[in-house]
Amino acid sequence: MAVRHVWVNREPGRVWGVLADADQYQKWVVGTRSTHEAEGDWPGVGASLRYEIGMGPLTVQGHTVVRVCEPPDRLELEASAGRLGTARIAVRLTPWGEGTLITMDEHPLRGTVARLHTAPVDVALQLRHRLMLTRLRNVVEGGRSPADKEAGEHV
């Protein structure tokens, strides 16, 4: 199971605002190339978001469904990457001093990703989480993702 955390120099409400904005998803979720409109009232329980996941020339259509939503401190998602399977992603926000401690817990649920879940896969998830939490912190603190900075764009 991959669990990581990061401290963000913003109050939980600001962090929750990014998590609750479906349009911000592709800015912080690693591998997401483009998002489509959310179905339902994102991030309400049962709402879903469709997107394209890609690495190099390979792309897969994915979708994420909200399973638990307890504003402003708990969001649990089930992400599906088609035949690759599904994963549970739990995000918890804890006030910490003048900022917020974000804890992310992700593990495979079903499909190929669950059957192939091993210690090396957890290492890869840890690396992915490190990048994802860095992106989330950048979006929350400055309104820009690393991809925006590389492209020289302003959000």
Side-chain angles (χ1 to χ4, degrees), residues 94-144:
T94 305
W96 199 268
E98 296 178 13
T100 305
L101 183 67
I102 304 171
T103 304
M104 185 174 294
D105 170 2
E106 179 177 0
H107 64 270
L109 289 174
R110 294 184 275 274
T112 304
V113 295
R115 286 190 300 276
L116 299 177
H117 188 217
T118 61
V121 170
D122 269 348
V123 170
L125 281 174
Q126 290 286 349
L127 295 173
R128 178 176 179 268
H129 283 169
R130 180 180 294 161
L131 179 56
M132 192 158 38
L133 287 170
T134 297
R135 286 181 176 187
L136 180 56
R137 180 178 55 210
N138 289 343
V139 171
V140 169
E141 288 183 353
R144 296 179 69 185

